[in-house]
Structure formats: structure tokens, C-alpha cells
């Protein structure tokens, strides 16, 4: 069973199928924003959402079993934690005190396309690594704006913006 799950999880077809479900789920969530469509096809939307949820839970189960007997290794990869968390959050009931969180978790399922495409993973990883350098850019821009603000106050201090008098 473990070997079968490993073959399935590493299969290109499996990954492509999951990506297709992620994209279909994103389209479904977009269609649900139309009150007219929801009124007419609400039952179908609910059934499709349940089917998507079953597919995602099945995918996580296969990927977890592929790491057996050392399932904890699954959680060493940040993208696996990301996928697992989104799927787990989307299992929250859509009613009650966590209704908003559950709806947002369903929307976050569309973000799983990032973890499904290696090219997007690289872009996100690069952006995250560049955040500390961006802090230096923010400091520099802040200094420049501060200098221009002080110069502006001194140059235009004699002009009243309300009356236009000098």
C-alpha cells in the first residue's frame, strides 16, 4: 500500500489531476460570488465543493501514506505543511463561529496552485528571501521622502494653502 501511494504521489498524472482540481475549485469559488448563480445552482455548488474537498483530503492522505512509516517527514517540507493546513482549515464547518475562517480557507485552496507548480514555488521562495533586502529599500525611500518633506516645509512655509496668500 505504501509503495502504491509513493508511485501515485510522484506520478505526473496525479500532480496534473490535482492541479486541474485546484483550478476548477478556483473557478467554482468565483462562480459562487454571483447571487443569481448561487440562487439557481446552490445545491450543485455545494455538491461540487464536497467533491473537491474529498479529492483534496484523499490527496493529502496519499501523500502522507507515501511518507510512511516516517510520516513526520511529510511535515519537514514547508509546502506540505502549507497544503495540509489549507485542507485541514477547509474542513471547518461553514456555519458557527468559524464560518468566516472556513470560507477563507476554501478560498485559500486556490493558492495551492503555488505549491503545485515548481516555477511558482521558486518565485515565492525568491520573494520571501528578498524581504530583508526590501527593508533597506523602505528605509532609503523613507529618508528621501523625509528630506523632501522638510525641504518642502521650509520652501513653502510662507504660503497659506487656504488663501493662496504669500
Amino acid at each position: 500500500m505504501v509503495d502504491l501511494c509513493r508511485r501515485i504521489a510522484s506520478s505526473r498524472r496525479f500532480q496534473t489531476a490535482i492541479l486541474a482540481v485546484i483550478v476548477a475549485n478556483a473557478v467554482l469559488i468565483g462562480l459562487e460570488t454571483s447571487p443569481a448563480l448561487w440562487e439557481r445552482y446552490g445545491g450543485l455548488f455545494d455538491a461540487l465543493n464536497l467533491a473537491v474537498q474529498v479529492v483534496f483530503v484523499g490527496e493529502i492522505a496519499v501523500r502522507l501514506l507515501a511518507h510512511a512509516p516516517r510520516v513526520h517527514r511529510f511535515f519537514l517540507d514547508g509546502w506540505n505543511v502549507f497544503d495540509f493546513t489549507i485542507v485541514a482549515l477547509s474542513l471547518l464547518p461553514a456555519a458557527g463561529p468559524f464560518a468566516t475562517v472556513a470560507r477563507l480557507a476554501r478560498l485559500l485552496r486556490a493558492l495551492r496552485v503555488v505549491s503545485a507548480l515548481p516555477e511558482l514555488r521558486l518565485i515565492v521562495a525568491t520573494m520571501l528571501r528578498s524581504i530583508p533586502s526590501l527593508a533597506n529599500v523602505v528605509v532609503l525611500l523613507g529618508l528621501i521622502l523625509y528630506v523632501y518633506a522638510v525641504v518642502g516645509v521650509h520652501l513653502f512655509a510662507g504660503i497659506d494653502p487656504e488663501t493662496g496668500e504669500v
Side-chain angles (χ1 to χ4, degrees), residues 24-74:
N25 179 61
V27 170
L28 178 64
I29 290 171
L31 290 173
E32 288 178 1
T33 61
S34 167
L37 288 176
W38 179 258
E39 185 177 319
R40 189 169 185 182
Y41 300 108
L44 177 62
F45 288 157
D46 286 337
L48 290 172
N49 276 318
L50 180 61
V52 166
Q53 187 64 41
V54 167
V55 168
F56 285 157
V57 169
E59 177 219 0
I60 292 295
V62 165
R63 289 173 50 201
L64 277 168
L65 286 171
H67 284 81
R70 297 184 179 104
V71 178
H72 69 279
R73 288 187 177 179
F74 175 84

Side-chain angles (χ1 to χ4, degrees), residues 22 25-26 29 56 86 105-114:
I22 291 170
N25 179 61
I29 290 171
F56 285 157
I86 288 176
R106 282 190 47 245
L107 180 60
L108 286 176
R109 290 189 309 205
L111 287 178
R112 291 194 58 220
V113 74
V114 173

Side-chain angles (χ1 to χ4, degrees), residues 117-137:
L117 295 173
E119 297 84 8
L120 288 179
R121 282 187 188 190
L122 177 64
I123 291 171
V124 169
T126 303
M127 288 173 60
L128 290 175
R129 281 194 305 266
S130 69
I131 288 175
S133 298
L134 288 176
N136 295 327
V137 173

